[in-house]
Structures are given as C-alpha cells and as structure tokens.
Amino acid sequence: MAKFEPVLSKNFDKPNAHKLSVYKSGGGYAAAEKVIKEMAPDDVVERVKESGLRGRGGAGFPCGVKWTFLPADRETTYLCVNADESEPGTFCNRFLMENDPHQLLEGILIAGHATRTTVAYIYMRVEFHEQFHILQKALDEAYDAGLFGKNIFGTDFSMECYIHRGAGAYVCGEETGLIESLEGKRGWPRIKPPFPAIEGAFSKPTVVNNVETLCCLPHIFERGVDWFQSLGTENSKGPKLYTISGPVKRPGCYEAPLGITCRELIFGDDFGQGMRDGLGVKGCIPGGLSVGVLTEEELDCVLDFDDVRNYGLLGLGTAGAIVIPDNADIRQVLMNVARFYSHESCGQCTQCREGTNWAYKVASRIARGAGRISDLDLMVDITTNMGMMPGLSICGLPDGAAFPMRTIVQKFRAEFEDHIRRQPPGVVEETLRKTNAAIYELPILGRA
Amino acid sequence: MGWKTLDRITPKHDTEAGPILNEAVRDKIRSFFPRYETKRAVLLPALHIVQDALGHVSYQAMAEIAEVLEIPPSAVLDTLTFYTHFWDHDKGKKVAVVCRSLSCQLMGADAVLDECKKELGIDEHGTTEDGSFSLVTEECLAACDYAPCVLINEKMHKCVKPEQVAKLLKDAKNAEIEPERSDLFDAPAAGAAPAPSEKNNGDEAVASNDDDDVLGKTSDVDEMRDS
Ligand SMILES: Cc1cc2nc3c(=O)[nH]c(=O)nc-3n(C[C@H](O)[C@H](O)[C@H](O)COP(=O)(O)O)c2cc1C
Ligand code: SF4
Ligand code: FES
C-alpha cells in the first residue's frame, strides 16, 4: 500500500497557515468556488451522499443523508458548526482550528451552499481562547476578501458566518443542547422529534455538523468522490484525525485513513510510538471517554465505525484515544469517569441525573477503599438502566456515561474484586460511619 | 450546575449610584443584535462582555443586561447559573483552571492541583485574599496531548510539573497569549470608560457582597457542583 498522504492535516506544519494568502497559495477556496459557481445545491448534497462521509462528531451519521432531511420549501436555514469539543481525550478539532482555520471556513462555505444556509454559527467552547482569536482573524480576512456575506464569488448565494462562544458545559456539544445555548438559554437538550433539520435554531430548519466533518468537504470536491472512497474500510470512508493522549511517547493528533487498529495508534512509528518510562498498557479508551474501554488483549480492535461494536463499545466516537498505563489504579479511573458525567449531566432527566450521581457515589466509595463486591453488580445495573438505549433519557449523555463505566467494571472485574478483598475487615462500616456520620449518630426516633 | 433562589422582597442595592454597565458596554452588547433572530440569543455574548469588563456578573449587572436584551432578569440568572464559566461573585484577577479529567489525571494533575492549592493558600473555588488569583478545576480542556494542563485566564500552560507550579504562578506574563487578537468580546479599553462606571466599580463590589449576604454564600453552590 502506498504511503498515505495527509490531507486534513497537510497545512499543519506550514508557517502562517492561518493566513488567507498562504491557504490560497496551496489551492485553497478553489473547491468552494467551483462548487458554488458550478453546482446546484442538490447536486452537492448528492455528491456528499455518494462519498459516504459520516459525521465525525461522535454519532457517525451519514452527512449527506442528514442534509436531505431539511424540508424542501424552507426559506431560512441555519448551519451550526459544532466546535464545542469537550469529550475527554479529544482534541482534533482544536488542531484543525488553530492550524488551518480556512479549511474549516471553506468547508462551511460548501456545506452552506449545499444546504442553502443563510447564517452559519460556529459554536466554540469558551476555553478555546487562542483558537477563537485565530479563527476570528481568519474569518475577518475571509469577509474582507468577499468569501462571506452577500453574493459570494459573484453568485446570488449569500451567507453570514459568526462565532458563538460557549461557556463551559459538555452537554452543549449535544446538537439540541447546542441550539438551546445558541438561543441564550441553558443548554438543555430538546426532546426529539422535531429534529433540528425540521425545527432547530429559532425554530427554523438547522443542520449541526462537526468541525472535522466540514473540513473533509473541500477535499471531496477537490479530489473527487473516488479518492474519498478509496480510503478507509467498508462502511467507514475517508481520512480521520486520530488523537492519542496518556503516557505514550508522542501524544498528539495524527491523520490516517479510517481503520487503523488501536495497537497501531499506540505503538506505531507514525503515531504514539509506544509507552513512556517502560510502562505497559492496562487498557485504552479508544474514542473519547464515552465509548468504553479496551483491555490490552483487545488492542487489535480496528478503529472504524463497525469493528468497535464487536468489543462492546458504544461506537467510534471521536477517535480520541486515552491510554491507561499498567500502574494506574483502575478504581481511580472509574471514579474519574463517573465524576465527569455526574458533573456534566444537565439534570433534566431523572435517570441520567440520579444514575450518574449514584454511579459517582458508588465509584468513589470503591476508590476510597470501602467497596463491596455487590457494588460492582450495582454499577452494571445502574449503567444499563439510565440511557437512551432503554429509552429513558432525552439525550445520549447517559449512554456515553454507561459504556465506559460498565466496560471498566466488566472488563477489569477481577482487579476490582482483588482490591475489595484486600480491604481490611470492618473498613466499609468504618468509612461509611465517617463519611456519613449524621445517619449513624441519629437518635432512634421511635414511631412517628 | 447550581440552583439558586432569589429573594425579591429584601431591597436590593442602591440604584442611586447609577447603572453598572456603561454605554460602551451596552453598545458592544447591542452590536451583536444583528447576528441573531432574537435578542435573547445575545445573552451569552452579553455575559461574556460584562464579565470581561467587570470581572464578574453581579445581580445588578444581570438586571441591566436583562434591560438591554428586553428579557426578564430571571432569564439571565437562569442561563448564567447553568454555565461554569460565569461568576456571579467576585473572582480573582487571574483564574487558574486545572484540568481534572482522565488524561490529565493519569499524567499527574492531582499533584499539580495540590501544589496550586499549597502555593496560593486556597482551596478549589477559592480566591486569594489580595484578589489576585482564583483556583478552579474543570473537565477536559481539549489539550490532553499537553496533559496535565493549567489554563490561566486565556493562556494554556502545557505539561505542567508540580515543581514548576510556584514559578508559573508568580510569572507576571502567565496570562498573556500570542495570537493577533480580534476585537470581538474584548472588554472596552479601560481608559475609554466614562467616569460614572469607574466610580461604580467600587460600589459594585460592595453591592455584590450585600447580595451574598442576602442570598447565602455561593460556595454552597460550588459544593453542590462538586458532589
Ligand atoms: C452529550 C453529548 C455531547 C456531545 N459533544 C459533542 C462535541 O463536543 N462535539 C461534537 O462535534 N459533537 C458532539 N456530540 C455529537 C452531536 O450531538 C452531533 O452528533 C454532532 O455534532 C453531529 O455532527 P456530525 O454529523 O458532523 O458528526 C455530542 C453528543 C452528545 C450526546
Ligand atoms: S440525558 Fe442527561 S444530559 Fe441529556 S438531557 Fe437528560 S439529563 Fe440532560
Ligand atoms: S483531560 Fe485534561 S485536557 Fe483533556
């Protein structure tokens, strides 16, 4: 196989890649110009559908198909660019925005034309300060060059583009939470249907797409659908930015065609280059925290949209791998995961709010050395009964919470049991008494 | 997230002193109106602008934002309390945010956080007495390749080792970032602010203290957030 030539990340090392002149000198905006001048919106949608591009934001929904859900007789369409990237372990969108902002803007132009968008909002998490200033400067430059605004490329296509900064809430990455937040409300996900394509931002048809999804578009139109189809595995086409963090030699963001294995990502010379300080791998969470964990024996899992399911994972997620070294205490890992979701649950749905909180309480009890064997079954029980899968919640956050917690407990059960067995006798009662003195010292009230 | 109840009967702070938000800030908020279909959608930008200008968003400031956006003040409170980024009470000039999510924890964020606490002499969600620093933890900052990381105001400090923390916190330039800045969201230049608002800055701090007395300490909320 010929060596893969990076496309999404091809400008990352160029000096001043964020400048319009540099981007244009590498053939930038030519694809957008061609698409906007020569193609009808519906043909663009058709072409993206043919390419098999699937959303990179986590759910992996086919991008072109999503666009066809928009009602045909709409007047206003909004495009929301999901740059909220707050999934732990994921940072590829950050790379795209800080190193090649114009690639994203070109993608927005193409998507905007295809969906006949009137206004595009880039919903960016507030912790991206540098990235905000870089992208805003790039946007200013693009506006000055007439790439946004009225009559783009001299056609009658007009579109505005603004950056909307979030304020620190994971759930605003969920598409309807994002829309609520955009409207100036708390980021409470909406009950679907109606789906955003019918009734989204300001009750108008709205498309929500991830940054990386949009960044693929210019390349599809520059190099053609066949090129895109030639990369990846059967149902997962195209290039993908994989990110890797944890104690590997070279944490970072690396591009590859969809379908490398987790082992390659950790040990490959082009990727993580193996573990630091002679550490071994205990496990790996291969796709952003929400997908679940792979043990060291399962590292040959192919990271595309299909194979991950054979390993009991939720999906590919965002392909942001977190490597857990063999010296890590699995109880701490579980507690950290549980804390994240209990902190980020928006609190609308009882199952999610209570489930994530109880899971955190149980996990911290285990981590403090006061766990019980039955806690492990309890964790599995909680996590199978709180998400969208059994139909108990509005959004996918509790499923994202359930998969890592459940797979950690199930796949590392022996280790948990070992820890629990080694707890000195009586410690459970002792810890409970200490942490919850009020209950133990209550006077017996007698019959009310 | 936190829940709060607001006492509407107890008189609020002295409005004689004039509004907290000066015209420059109000104009800046208004300049966002054309971007959205509704005025309420300008709420998040408005909160950012006000927090940048005043340091935090006091109850009086919330009421004034509500006035500019023509929405009820409760709507502002409702939205503000949902997001971890906004402060309804005074924060330090610099806010150190330590990431506590998985990648950072695996790479030693706990030790970094302990060192920060020791160095600043405050606990999480605390502010130093001289008002120079606040310390908070947050979930993944999307810089896991640089774990453990600490965000100070706008600047991301990467691969922070516990032994570097003392020096890092003392560094005068630890909140400066390099990229060319876009004017959007920046606070109006301090010198350009008209006189009444400057006079108000002092009052406003007092006012927010009053509010705290009336409303109970906000640290309760922080505890709730944590548990
Ligand atoms: C709790 C939750 C958080 C999410 N966070 C993000 C996020 O930070 N960034 C993102 O692009 N998608 C996120 N998503 C996925 C979005 O809901 C949505 O699927 C995606 O933006 C669609 O874009 P795509 O089709 O281009 O992938 C999240 C979903 C859930 C349920
Ligand atoms: S599932 Fe959880 S995060 Fe999603 S809307 Fe319900 S409570 Fe909020
Ligand atoms: S886990 Fe700390 S930045 Fe992602």
Side-chain angles (χ1 to χ4, degrees), chain A residues 54-63 66 80 82-87 93 170-176 178 189 208-214 290 318 341 388 395-398:
Chain A
R54 294 174 66 169
R56 308 296 200 227
F61 197 80
C63 180
K66 193 193 261 187
C80 296
N82 196 336
D84 192 54
E85 187 153 75
S86 18
E87 180 80 33
N93 294 356
Y170 170 66
V171 74
C172 291
E174 203 277 343
E175 45 190 10
T176 51
L178 183 152
V208 184
N209 271 132
N210 174 259
V211 168
E212 196 183 341
T213 316
L214 295 174
S290 298
T318 50
Y341 294 101
M388 250 172 130
C395 86
L397 185 139

Side-chain angles (χ1 to χ4, degrees), chain A residues 86-91 94 125 245 322 336, chain B residues 98-106 109 138-150 156:
Chain A
S86 18
E87 180 80 33
T90 309
F91 45 91
R94 189 194 91 218
R125 65 177 301 182
S245 59
I322 305 173
N336 190 302
Chain B
V98 183
C99 172
R100 63 177 193 187
S101 286
L102 191 55
S103 293
C104 286
Q105 194 186 32
L106 291 171
E138 245 172 54
E139 302 297 352
C140 185
L141 302 172
C144 323
D145 46 342
Y146 302 125
C149 53
V150 179
M156 184 68 81

Side-chain angles (χ1 to χ4, degrees), chain A residues 142-357:
Chain A
Y143 258 106
D144 286 344
L147 294 167
F148 285 93
K150 293 251 166 324
N151 302 93
I152 298 164
F153 295 120
T155 63
D156 51 13
F157 171 57
S158 302
M159 170 167 88
E160 302 294 332
C161 180
Y162 305 114
I163 303 179
H164 184 92
R165 301 188 79 181
Y170 170 66
V171 74
C172 291
E174 203 277 343
E175 45 190 10
T176 51
L178 183 152
I179 290 169
E180 286 282 302
S181 180
L182 182 74
E183 292 181 1
K185 305 176 192 152
R186 42 169 107 155
W188 272 11
R190 294 177 182 169
I191 295 174
K192 287 148 273 199
F195 287 94
I198 310 294
E199 228 177 82
F202 311 108
S203 302
K204 302 279 161 53
T206 302
V207 177
V208 184
N209 271 132
N210 174 259
V211 168
E212 196 183 341
T213 316
L214 295 174
C215 286
C216 291
L217 296 174
H219 305 292
I220 293 178
F221 289 94
E222 191 188 316
R223 289 156 194 254
V225 168
D226 292 335
W227 162 81
F228 196 81
Q229 289 266 332
S230 72
L231 299 172
T233 57
E234 197 188 343
N235 293 319
S236 318
K237 298 296 181 197
K240 174 86 188 82
L241 292 179
Y242 288 91
T243 61
I244 179 159
S245 59
V248 289
K249 288 210 181 93
R250 218 172 53 135
C253 174
Y254 307 104
E255 188 175 351
L258 270 165
I260 61 169
T261 67
C262 191
R263 198 178 294 282
E264 264 179 277
L265 184 58
I266 300 174
F267 294 100
D269 279 343
D270 295 339
F271 307 104
Q273 294 185 349
M275 301 293 286
R276 265 184 216 187
D277 310 327
L279 292 168
V281 180
K282 174 175 294 200
C284 178
I285 294 179
L289 199 60
S290 298
V291 302
V293 72
L294 294 173
T295 61
E296 136 68 31
E297 295 83 58
E298 295 172 330
L299 289 184
D300 290 314
C301 169
V302 177
L303 300 181
D304 65 8
F305 291 107
D306 299 316
D307 195 40
V308 282
R309 293 186 206 275
N310 301 334
Y311 295 84
L313 304 183
L314 176 61
L316 177 64
T318 50
I322 305 173
V323 184
I324 304 169
D326 54 3
N327 66 350
D329 185 340
I330 197 71
R331 298 174 298 177
Q332 292 293 336
V333 174
L334 179 67
M335 187 178 94
N336 190 302
V337 174
R339 179 177 63 191
F340 175 77
Y341 294 101
S342 79
H343 183 253
E344 298 298 337
S345 165
C346 82
Q348 267 189 106
C349 321
T350 313
Q351 272 76 6
C352 169
R353 181 185 64 236
E354 301 301 316
T356 51
N357 265 299

Side-chain angles (χ1 to χ4, degrees), chain A residues 367-383:
Chain A
R368 274 203 310 262
R372 290 173 280 209
I373 301 283
S374 60
D375 283 348
L376 301 176
D377 300 318
L378 184 59
M379 280 300 277
V380 175
D381 196 38
I382 296 174
T383 51

Side-chain angles (χ1 to χ4, degrees), chain B residues 11-156:
Chain B
K12 284 193 228 52
H13 87 289
D14 170 28
T15 39
E16 295 282 277
I20 287 178
L21 305 185
N22 62 30
E23 271 311 304
V25 171
R26 284 165 192 254
D27 278 345
K28 190 148 193 174
I29 296 174
R30 286 189 203 110
S31 73
F32 279 76
F33 284 162
R35 295 182 170 203
Y36 305 95
E37 249 183 53
T38 62
K39 286 191 172 167
R40 173 150 192 181
V42 182
L43 184 47
L44 248 55
L47 289 168
H48 280 296
I49 291 167
V50 171
Q51 179 156 305
D52 280 354
L54 302 177
H56 71 281
V57 189
S58 63
Y59 289 102
Q60 178 62 19
M62 286 184 220
E64 288 178 28
I65 292 173
E67 186 191 304
V68 179
L69 302 187
E70 295 165 31
I71 53 175
S74 58
V76 181
L77 180 78
D78 180 287
T79 299
L80 179 139
T81 49
F82 183 81
Y83 298 95
T84 44
H85 182 71
F86 298 125
W87 292 65
D88 60 359
H89 57 291
D90 241 343
K91 66 171 165 44
K93 280 207 181 60
K94 290 179 181 175
V95 182
V97 181
V98 183
C99 172
R100 63 177 193 187
S101 286
L102 191 55
S103 293
C104 286
Q105 194 186 32
L106 291 171
M107 300 301 284
D110 292 346
V112 171
L113 178 63
D114 287 343
E115 199 58 33
C116 287
K117 286 184 190 166
K118 207 171 87 198
E119 209 48 51
L120 296 171
I122 48 177
D123 209 354
E124 260 173 70
H125 301 290
T127 302
T128 53
E129 247 161 50
D130 63 354
S132 62
F133 256 111
S134 293
L135 178 66
V136 295
T137 54
E138 245 172 54
E139 302 297 352
C140 185
L141 302 172
C144 323
D145 46 342
Y146 302 125
C149 53
V150 179
L151 181 73
I152 298 182
N153 285 7
E154 297 200 335
K155 175 143 184 196
M156 184 68 81

